Amino acid sequence: MKRVRFRDPTGTIRGGRWLVEDGQEYVTTALGEPETVATDEHTYPAESVDVLPPAEPTKIVAIGRNYADHADEQDADVPDRPLLFLKPPNTVASHGSTVSLLPDKERLDYEAELAVIISETCHNVDADDAEDVIAGYTCFNDISNRDDQRVETNWVRGKAFDNAAPMGPVLATPDEVPADATIECRVNDETRQSGSREDMVFAVPELIEEITAYMTLEPGDVVATGTPEGVGPLADGDTVEIEIEGIGTLEHGVHIP
């Protein structure tokens, strides 16, 4: 199942289904633009609603260098345990938006990632039980300010700035997303990243076990699982598409003052 959060014409936030072509529910890998968005009680023309991020996290726990090929392109070692950093709620941006990023930076990079959305309050979760706390998956762009990331140790300026975490467009339940799901990033229709979930150094259950040993995760919190090789710079006016098999395609524009 795939669910979408949206704001209806009255301003009310609702959850529903993304429908394409004669009312058929969106089920394909590539995300067609919806004709309608539907709840159990109402159906809305797509142009009358605003698609929202599929979760409202209290925090995003992101993983650095979780693909060996990405570590290589960064001239860095693969970590012995998951490399964790945080992105706060101010970073969240939605599918279909144009994200305004920091001015006067030499390098603002895209990073296509599979993101996990947590279903319940959890702490000290064993890897064998991790599936029990996963609501589903979505597409994620870990936009990174390399200028400051290179010169600070906690990555606050590098990772936690406004609009640095576009995500969406839907939440896909775990059964929809293959263990070897492909992850692709396109910028202005040019493929820049192409990888697979199975290439992660630390799999999702291991990540949840490690994170929850240190902090409690709340419903709607997000774990961004790392990016394959091919990261690169964004420019003003770019269009980014992040497509993950079983989920669909997150699309957003870029504005750099």
Side-chain angles (χ1 to χ4, degrees):
M1 179 184 296
K2 299 178 180 70
R3 303 290 293 177
V4 60
R5 287 179 66 245
F6 63 96
R7 183 178 290 107
D8 74 14
T10 71
T12 302
I13 294 175
R14 300 185 183 277
R17 304 181 306 280
W18 182 292
L19 305 180
V20 298
E21 294 185 4
D22 300 323
Q24 296 299 307
E25 186 164 359
Y26 156 64
V27 294
T28 58
T29 297
L31 180 65
E33 287 304 314
E35 292 183 351
T36 57
V37 174
T39 68
D40 291 339
E41 295 82 20
H42 301 285
T43 299
Y44 303 91
E47 62 272 15
S48 71
V49 306
D50 296 319
V51 175
L52 301 174
E56 296 181 281
T58 68
K59 56 191 169 293
I60 299 165
V61 187
I63 314 300
R65 304 202 301 265
N66 199 30
Y67 287 76
D69 52 11
H70 174 58
D72 287 344
E73 73 178 349
Q74 298 292 311
D75 295 322
D77 295 330
V78 172
D80 294 329
R81 62 178 182 170
L83 175 60
L84 310 181
F85 61 93
L86 294 172
K87 296 175 84 93
N90 65 288
T91 62
V92 174
S94 62
H95 169 77
S97 64
T98 294
V99 296
S100 293
L101 303 179
L102 297 168
D104 305 319
K105 300 297 179 184
E106 291 186 3
R107 183 87 181 240
L108 296 167
D109 280 6
Y110 56 83
E111 295 190 14
E113 307 198 8
L114 173 72
V116 183
I117 298 176
I118 298 299
S119 62
E120 62 187 67
T121 302
C122 56
H123 183 66
N124 285 330
V125 178
D126 188 272
D128 290 339
D129 300 321
E131 291 291 339
D132 295 340
V133 302
I134 297 174
Y137 297 96
T138 196
C139 306
F140 188 92
N141 190 0
D142 174 21
I143 301 177
S144 302
N145 160 24
R146 302 299 189 202
D147 295 31
D148 291 303
Q149 185 184 0
R150 292 190 186 105
V151 296
E152 64 178 6
T153 57
N154 56 17
W155 295 359
V156 171
R157 297 173 185 84
K159 295 285 192 173
F161 54 95
D162 290 349
N163 300 316
M167 66 176 74
V170 297
L171 180 154
T173 51
D175 59 294
E176 297 275 1
V177 184
D180 61 350
T182 56
I183 301 168
E184 184 172 286
C185 178
R186 298 182 293 274
V187 179
N188 303 327
D189 294 324
E190 178 185 349
T191 300
R192 302 287 183 85
Q193 291 182 276
S194 185
S196 170
R197 175 183 176 184
E198 67 180 350
D199 295 330
M200 291 180 187
V201 177
F202 302 101
V204 169
E206 297 173 275
L207 297 177
I208 291 175
E209 179 177 84
E210 178 72 13
I211 292 165
T212 60
Y214 288 86
M215 69 184 79
T216 300
L217 293 177
E218 304 290 348
D221 281 352
V222 171
V223 177
T225 60
T227 193
E229 69 174 331
V231 301
L234 293 167
D236 182 46
D238 280 348
T239 297
V240 180
E241 296 172 284
I242 293 173
E243 182 177 344
I244 299 179
E245 184 180 0
I247 301 172
T249 304
L250 165 68
E251 180 177 339
H252 69 82
V254 175
H255 172 60
I256 302 175

